[in-house]
Amino acid sequence: MSDKLRFHYEVSGEDFTRAGEASSDLKAKLKLMGASPEVVRKVAICMYEGEINMVIHACGGVIDVTISPADILLELKDVGPGIPDIEKAMQEGYSTASENIRSLGFGAGMGLSNMKKYSDEMKIDTVLGVGTTVTMRINM
Amino acid sequence: MEEAYNSVTLDPERCKGCINCIKRCPTQAIRVRNGKAHITKEFCIDCGECVRVCPHHAKKPTYDSLERIFEFKYKVALPAPSFYGQFNNLDDVNIILRALKLYGFDDVYEVAAAAEKISQLSREYIELHKDKKPFISTACPSVTKLITIRFPNLIDHLLPFVAPVELAAAYARKQAVEKTGLSPDEIGIVFISPCPAKVAAQRNPFGLKKSNIDLVVAIEKIYPKLLPLMVKTRDDAEELSQSGRIGIGWGSSGGEAGGLLVDNYLAADGIENVINVLEGLEDQKFSDLEFIELNACSGGCVGGVLQVENPYAAKAKMKRLRKYLPVSRSHVENPSDFSDVSWNQEVEYSPVFTLGENMIDSLAKMEEAQKIYARLPGLDCGSCGAPTCKALAEDVVRGIAHEKDCIHLLKEYLHRISDDLHSI
């Protein structure tokens, strides 16, 4: 066997009803693998927040997950508008979500800061007009 | 939790080996093997879905027989709040309670009365432990069991209180001892239950070393015995009821949460809806909630599999019954003394679904399951005896099934063999 396990998820844009599907699926798999509750919790929050971000800001995208006995890597890639000011976007409560989306209860400006908080390492690569890739590592 | 106990048994004579139960089991605990259904005890949460959907009535919920109450010198009936919703045109709970005494019980202690006390204590407890919000109700044993096997991150949010029936049982026994001078084991505490999950919870209680309940009997069994007796007790004057609107409200969904008098609560019922809420809670999807009430059965306890009446009709009847009652009639003297209701044993995560013996083994098995899954047709037809193709793939790596249990793969395989034979 290889020592790494890979999963691929497609997130469709502007579909709030399906946001969270990838997170739920990965959670179930981690529980089958016997990952600790703490790891499951961190991954669940990072995935769910990431999924919601893709739905709100980027018309969806893809998530690639790599699991090894040491850690879990989440790579969330979209071809959205990009993030103009990462520092600002990382602030708790800062949001560029429309009124419409806020009225649905999303866009509270906690997405990226929560992802940072619950992952052990996070990297954002973004190019305006091209897209954003967020990579997160969660230690086992 | 000690040894796994589950409250549903199978009658192999009646089981046809169809796929109804495997498809509806919320924890995928059932497989059809050699033409008969088998329940994996560790995965079963005693929700009763399989009892409900089995068209051949092959699934039997377990409970104690009514006759056993006569083994005790002094017997106290503990009717569930939802029991009151089973009767037509009932305008006074006392009629039922007096009928229970006429049937043979020496006394009654309403679970609704204990529930009212738990509502009062919960209000205080939640106020004192705001940092742990949201609290998740622990009244439904199926939900609590589900959380302990599948949602370990939510265990800290469980309201660490015994279910109202346990509090009722403790009070009832104490009262009976004081009243009769008998020893505690000569007293039979009998719960009149809406569901088999309460039977499992009595055999293996959450947060308690030992249950205070001696017997759990089914509402559907005592119901026909009480009907003729209720005609006789209708005009008696004996006042036995001690519960008000809040206590009786516990019998249907939203009642427990409503009794907390908090603004931000969520009440979900029906096991699939419950699972959705738990998934969302795990992802921290909901904010600002103070309390989460979850009932495995649709409608709440009125929807229990041992009930007689349609759950929603029962709910309507209970609403009418509660209308003229005081808000609450049972109180504890000191609402910050939680000693009677607190758990005295840790409730722990049981990772029953884990594939392998350790992380590396599990990872390898998961990879293998993925490969097998890719070869399966993805129809989730259930013909192999597992509820989905994914479940079959996992069963294969667990060593309890074979890839060729899939009739579609088998058909392909047979075609290939016959083609090979022809070409010789």
Side-chain angles (χ1 to χ4, degrees):
Chain A
M1 97 184 212
S2 63
D3 59 347
K4 286 195 167 82
L5 197 50
R6 290 187 174 82
F7 300 109
H8 178 79
Y9 298 97
E10 312 245 337
V11 179
S12 64
E14 285 174 18
D15 190 350
F16 284 95
T17 51
R18 285 183 55 191
E21 265 183 17
S23 165
S24 285
D25 185 78
L26 186 61
K27 267 193 301 185
K29 291 197 163 87
L30 288 171
K31 286 171 190 174
L32 281 174
M33 282 175 222
S36 77
E38 185 56 21
V39 168
V40 175
R41 188 166 83 103
K42 287 159 116 182
V43 172
I45 296 168
C46 291
M47 275 285 275
Y48 180 68
E49 295 285 7
E51 266 185 86
I52 287 288
N53 274 350
M54 285 177 158
V55 173
I56 295 177
H57 299 289
C59 316
V62 294
I63 305 178
D64 282 288
V65 182
T66 311
I67 304 175
S68 76
D71 56 20
I72 298 160
L73 277 177
L74 308 173
E75 194 189 56
L76 293 81
K77 204 181 278 178
D78 69 54
V79 284
I83 306 170
D85 187 339
I86 293 184
E87 211 168 297
K88 224 175 185 178
M90 290 299 298
Q91 284 169 18
E92 284 187 13
Y94 178 80
S95 175
T96 57
S98 66
E99 243 346 277
N100 196 15
I101 279 166
R102 282 165 175 261
S103 70
L104 290 168
F106 298 101
M110 297 302 289
L112 283 176
S113 52
N114 267 342
M115 285 153 77
K116 172 97 187 154
K117 186 172 156 195
Y118 288 101
S119 60
D120 293 295
E121 203 183 300
M122 180 164 106
K123 203 174 91 195
I124 303 177
D125 292 309
T126 185
V127 180
L128 283 182
V130 178
T132 304
T133 300
V134 181
T135 319
M136 288 173 279
R137 190 171 54 79
I138 291 126
N139 296 330
M140 275 288 185
Chain B
M1 269 288 129
E2 284 137 40
E3 200 192 330
Y5 172 89
N6 86 302
S7 61
V8 180
T9 57
L10 185 90
D11 179 350
E13 295 283 302
R14 284 174 173 265
C15 179
K16 297 267 187 294
C18 71
I19 63 163
N20 284 293
C21 60
I22 59 170
K23 280 291 194 186
R24 286 287 289 274
C25 175
T27 56
Q28 301 195 332
I30 315 176
R31 297 291 183 275
V32 175
R33 297 268 174 261
N34 303 318
K36 303 287 171 199
H38 293 272
I39 303 173
T40 306
K41 279 185 186 175
E42 289 74 14
F43 298 176
C44 174
I45 57 168
D46 304 289
C47 66
E49 278 297 304
C50 55
V51 179
R52 216 171 260 132
V53 300
C54 179
H56 313 293
H57 306 291
K59 299 286 191 312
K60 300 250 179 278
T62 53
Y63 43 78
D64 296 307
S65 83
L66 262 182
E67 288 68 39
R68 286 202 55 201
I69 71 167
F70 298 102
E71 292 169 14
F72 293 90
K73 264 196 186 146
Y74 190 87
K75 29 207 169 296
V76 188
L78 271 47
S82 57
F83 189 38
Y84 306 154
Q86 306 302 302
F87 304 92
N88 288 327
N89 308 315
L90 181 78
D91 51 13
D92 182 3
V93 169
N94 284 298
I95 300 170
I96 303 176
L97 304 181
R98 290 193 292 254
L100 284 167
K101 284 182 77 174
L102 200 57
Y103 176 70
F105 287 99
D106 298 286
D107 204 355
V108 288
Y109 195 106
E110 293 175 272
V111 174
E116 238 155 56
K117 294 179 181 182
I118 293 205
S119 290
Q120 195 190 351
L121 291 161
S122 305
R123 288 198 284 272
E124 191 70 17
Y125 190 88
I126 292 170
E127 195 57 33
L128 287 171
H129 298 85
K130 284 191 163 158
D131 54 311
K132 280 204 164 183
K133 281 194 291 193
F135 279 98
I136 304 172
S137 159
T138 46
C140 175
S142 287
V143 173
T144 311
K145 184 155 183 206
L146 177 65
I147 291 172
T148 64
I149 60 172
R150 202 165 134 185
F151 296 95
N153 286 305
L154 301 177
I155 291 176
D156 276 349
H157 289 280
L158 291 172
L159 182 69
F161 281 7
V162 299
V165 64
E166 281 295 343
L167 184 66
Y171 284 151
R173 193 180 306 275
K174 202 166 151 229
Q175 250 180 33
V177 168
E178 281 163 12
K179 206 164 163 180
T180 62
L182 293 169
S183 80
D185 57 348
E186 288 174 299
I187 289 153
I189 304 294
V190 184
F191 179 38
I192 299 169
S193 173
C195 69
K198 288 288 188 190
V199 181
Q202 184 250 357
R203 313 293 202 253
N204 239 341
F206 292 100
L208 279 182
K209 279 199 178 67
K210 194 180 175 301
S211 169
N212 247 307
I213 305 157
D214 296 303
L215 299 172
V216 183
V217 300
I219 283 180
E220 63 177 16
K221 291 290 170 196
I222 200 156
Y223 174 84
K225 310 263 186 211
L226 285 200
L227 287 180
L229 301 175
M230 283 168 67
V231 180
K232 294 183 193 161
T233 60
R234 192 185 296 147
D235 302 319
D236 291 354
E238 195 183 11
E239 287 282 334
L240 293 162
S241 180
Q242 301 170 37
S243 55
R245 223 183 288 174
I246 287 182
I248 295 176
W250 277 64
S252 61
S253 178
E256 179 189 4
L260 294 174
L261 318 174
V262 294
D263 293 326
N264 294 312
Y265 71 77
L266 175 161
D269 54 296
I271 192 67
E272 293 302 332
N273 301 325
V274 165
I275 291 173
N276 269 333
V277 170
L278 293 172
E279 290 280 358
L281 278 171
E282 197 168 47
D283 297 353
Q284 300 197 349
K285 204 170 170 177
F286 315 119
S287 48
D288 302 325
L289 287 171
E290 290 181 71
F291 191 77
I292 316 237
E293 179 190 322
L294 301 171
N295 287 289
C297 296
S298 295
C301 296
V302 284
V305 79
L306 302 179
Q307 300 278 24
V308 182
E309 181 57 285
N310 170 288
Y312 299 96
K315 198 171 178 175
K317 288 177 189 173
M318 283 170 64
K319 201 173 162 194
R320 202 181 56 225
L321 186 63
R322 289 163 67 210
K323 202 171 171 187
Y324 298 106
L325 288 175
V327 173
S328 176
R329 292 166 74 191
S330 286
H331 307 274
V332 291
E333 275 168 26
N334 179 4
S336 16
D337 176 5
F338 306 118
S339 54
D340 284 347
V341 291
S342 291
W343 283 349
N344 53 31
Q345 204 176 356
E346 198 86 23
V347 167
E348 284 170 342
Y349 175 38
S350 351
V352 294
F353 296 109
T354 310
L355 280 180
E357 293 183 2
N358 52 48
M359 177 65 78
I360 293 177
D361 184 31
S362 292
L363 221 66
K365 284 192 168 138
M366 178 58 96
E367 191 181 12
E368 186 57 31
Q370 289 294 114
K371 283 181 191 157
I372 297 166
Y373 177 62
R375 291 195 287 269
L376 295 171
L379 296 171
D380 294 342
C381 68
S383 301
C384 62
T388 61
C389 294
K390 212 182 248 177
L392 175 63
E394 286 163 18
D395 285 354
V396 175
V397 298
R398 284 183 206 273
I400 55 170
H402 195 272
E403 208 171 314
K404 292 210 179 60
D405 288 341
C406 171
I407 58 164
H408 304 280
L409 282 193
L410 183 68
K411 199 169 92 185
E412 253 174 50
Y413 175 73
L414 293 176
H415 276 304
R416 222 167 34 233
I417 293 181
S418 94
D419 288 349
D420 286 351
L421 284 175
H422 281 294
S423 62
I424 294 173

